[in-house]
Amino acid sequence: MGLSAEKALALKCKANILIAILDEIKKKRYTQADLVKVLDEHQPVVSNLLRGKISQMSIEKLLIYADRLGLSLEVRKTRSRSRRAPAA
């Protein structure tokens, strides 16, 4: 894809948050009009969120949306198999 490791990691994080948000929206059967109110956001932004167009959204903004939907997200520490140890 041509992304740096940092940008790829940020995109993966955003995608995981989006999945949690979309699952909650589906579970609660929110309409776009409902989400405009709940997320305190304009309709075009809500539409982009629902279509997965999050490239221009920050991780922070997605976390705010998750919070407004009543979600509590956590980061877990795991070991990455692809990560190389620094040279000594």
Side-chain angles (χ1 to χ4, degrees):
M1 270 175 78
L3 296 175
S4 69
E6 292 81 13
K7 289 193 185 246
L9 180 61
L11 187 59
K12 183 177 178 182
C13 184
K14 288 165 84 172
N16 287 334
I17 298 167
L18 177 65
I19 289 167
I21 288 171
L22 294 177
D23 285 347
E24 188 68 10
I25 289 169
K26 185 176 179 181
K27 177 182 165 190
K28 291 186 177 175
R29 297 181 179 186
Y30 282 125
T31 65
Q32 279 196 29
D34 295 333
L35 292 170
V36 166
K37 293 176 187 170
V38 171
L39 301 180
D40 190 27
E41 196 56 82
H42 299 286
Q43 189 278 329
V45 175
V46 170
S47 178
N48 285 338
L49 178 72
L50 293 174
R51 293 183 317 183
K53 293 190 170 192
I54 58 169
S55 62
Q56 301 301 315
M57 291 182 197
S58 68
I59 291 171
E60 293 83 1
K61 182 57 96 171
L62 291 170
L63 289 172
I64 290 168
Y65 294 159
D67 182 67
R68 289 180 180 164
L69 288 167
L71 295 173
S72 175
L73 303 175
E74 64 182 49
V75 175
R76 282 187 264 150
K77 179 180 155 186
T78 60
R79 296 272 181 218
S80 174
R81 286 181 251 144
S82 64
R83 198 82 174 157
R84 287 183 262 155

